[in-house]
Amino acid sequence: MATATTLEVLHQYLEAGCALVEDIYAPEEVPLSKTTNVDGYAVCSSDPPGIYKVLTSLTHKLFSELPKASIFHIDIGGRLSTGTNSAIVVEDTELESAPKDADGEVMEEVQVKTLAHVSLGENVRQPGSGMHKGENMMKMGEVIMSSSGEVGTLAFIGCRGVKVFRKPVVALLSTGNELLDLQSRKPISGDGWGWIWDTNCPSLQPTLEGMGYKVVNLGIAADDVDTCVRAISKGLELANILPVMGGTSMGANGLFQPVIEWRFNGTIHFRRVVMKPGTPSTPDPQYGFAAASPDDQAGPQKKGRGLMLMGWALTMPLAQNESLSKVEAK
């Protein structure tokens, strides 16, 4: 099995759509120590309401025992000072004394009066209350999106990087003598055809690229066997998934069924679906784009390239010496 690429979480937005290779577990408790969920003061629950000296991170070391008759100024998310076990919200206190600056504005408080009694653990987040060490945070196969909260979840647990499956390369191929390329604007044959603009590739390419996939536009292939074989061969060489638009007409004009079956040893999984309106649909109900090997007994380790036609879902076996890394994780 090929190995997966490592992706930096801080740059994950550049790789939208990647799927996790493995489950992600929390490496430690969150929070690691007692913190508060209010703005106020860290206090000892046994202390009654009254007037107390206010200490801050500038006047008191967090891990030193809090002196008697003192409370510790604390903000939301801050750690409790050693010797305290509760927090009182600022709304339940009154300013008792504080120096003023030259403009008469009150500076850091010196003393405050607590107006309420707080119980043991009140307004305190216990260690591990947000997340326990070893807790499963994300599942294998979960997709990391740029517009969702997956990156925030990974950052929340301090995860610097994750292993993700390399996204497949998609090659787009349109077929039909009647099509005109928007860029070249030249008919692909001189027999009077060439009067319909190709909208499939121009529409699909930005959609797929917007999802973070690399796209190879193979252009338009003429309606003859040799051209179709060359175009499909090139697409399978360059990409993992090859949607083909056209060539699925009923009757003799449908070139791709014999091309796929005879030239590429492919398997047609289905050709038509019961639906209205009758536009052909291609999703494989079990495997999606990348269907299984034509050999039903081959198992998941023998996967073929995914090839989609407008109307069919099929697969092509890998060459005997071809690396699975192109369709599996890298």
Side-chain angles (χ1 to χ4, degrees):
M1 179 70 69
T3 58
T5 55
T6 299
L7 222 53
E8 289 297 320
V9 174
L10 295 180
H11 302 289
Q12 188 66 64
Y13 65 90
L14 297 176
E15 294 289 341
C18 286
L20 293 174
V21 169
E22 56 194 6
D23 287 356
I24 303 298
Y25 297 93
E28 57 189 9
E29 304 282 312
V30 175
L32 279 172
S33 60
K34 293 180 180 180
T35 62
T36 183
N37 52 10
V38 299
D39 288 326
Y41 304 90
V43 300
C44 182
S45 60
S46 60
D47 292 338
I51 298 174
Y52 293 89
K53 180 181 179 181
V54 177
L55 300 178
T56 69
S57 57
L58 297 177
T59 58
H60 179 75
K61 293 183 178 181
L62 189 64
F63 298 105
S64 298
E65 192 76 19
L66 196 68
K68 296 287 187 180
S70 299
I71 57 178
F72 187 79
H73 182 96
I74 195 170
D75 297 321
I76 292 177
R79 288 188 176 187
L80 269 65
S81 175
T82 301
T84 63
N85 54 27
S86 304
I88 187 171
V89 295
V90 68
E91 290 82 2
D92 287 339
T93 66
E94 287 181 351
L95 180 63
E96 188 68 21
S97 63
K100 296 183 179 180
D101 59 20
D103 297 325
E105 296 293 330
V106 174
M107 300 173 65
E108 192 75 33
E109 65 269 51
V110 175
Q111 289 182 315
V112 298
K113 182 178 182 180
T114 59
L115 305 176
H117 179 270
V118 292
S119 58
L120 177 65
E122 187 172 342
N123 298 320
V124 173
R125 296 180 65 218
Q126 298 298 325
S129 58
M131 176 185 67
H132 291 293
K133 182 178 180 180
E135 183 177 342
N136 184 270
M137 303 300 294
M138 297 180 70
K139 298 288 188 180
M140 181 186 71
E142 189 168 343
V143 178
I144 300 175
M145 303 300 292
S146 60
S147 59
S148 300
E150 293 84 8
V151 173
T153 298
L154 294 170
F156 178 70
I157 63 175
C159 184
R160 296 182 58 194
V162 291
K163 292 181 180 180
V164 297
F165 288 103
R166 189 185 297 276
K167 286 178 291 186
V169 177
V170 182
L172 301 176
L173 175 63
S174 292
T175 67
N177 293 341
E178 74 279 11
L179 297 180
L180 281 173
D181 186 275
L182 289 170
Q183 302 303 320
S184 67
R185 296 177 175 263
K186 294 180 180 180
I188 61 175
S189 67
D191 56 4
W193 288 82
W195 49 273
I196 298 176
W197 296 113
D198 176 26
T199 59
N200 290 318
C201 287
S203 299
L204 285 175
Q205 183 166 353
T207 300
L208 291 167
E209 289 176 340
M211 298 169 64
Y213 295 98
K214 181 180 179 180
V215 178
V216 178
N217 191 336
L218 299 175
I220 303 170
D223 287 329
D224 67 79
V225 173
D226 291 338
T227 301
C228 291
V229 169
R230 288 194 298 269
I232 292 176
S233 297
K234 183 178 180 181
L236 295 177
E237 179 182 352
L238 297 176
N240 309 114
I241 299 174
L242 175 58
V244 179
M245 282 68 71
T248 60
S249 300
M250 303 299 294
N253 291 332
L255 294 176
F256 272 88
Q257 180 174 359
V259 166
I260 294 304
E261 292 180 330
W262 299 343
R263 296 295 187 93
F264 293 95
N265 194 27
T267 300
I268 307 297
H269 292 289
F270 63 86
R271 185 169 181 180
R272 289 175 291 179
V273 295
V274 179
M275 63 179 291
K276 289 184 179 182
T279 302
S281 181
T282 58
D284 186 305
Q286 183 174 0
Y287 298 99
F289 285 163
S293 167
D295 181 1
D296 291 337
Q297 304 302 317
Q301 299 302 319
K302 292 187 177 180
K303 292 184 178 179
R305 293 185 182 278
L307 179 65
M308 296 178 60
L309 304 178
M310 296 302 288
W312 304 335
L314 46 93
T315 51
M316 315 257 276
L318 292 168
Q320 189 171 10
N321 60 348
E322 185 175 10
S323 172
L324 282 172
S325 63
K326 287 192 175 182
V327 290
E328 303 246 349
K330 279 192 176 183

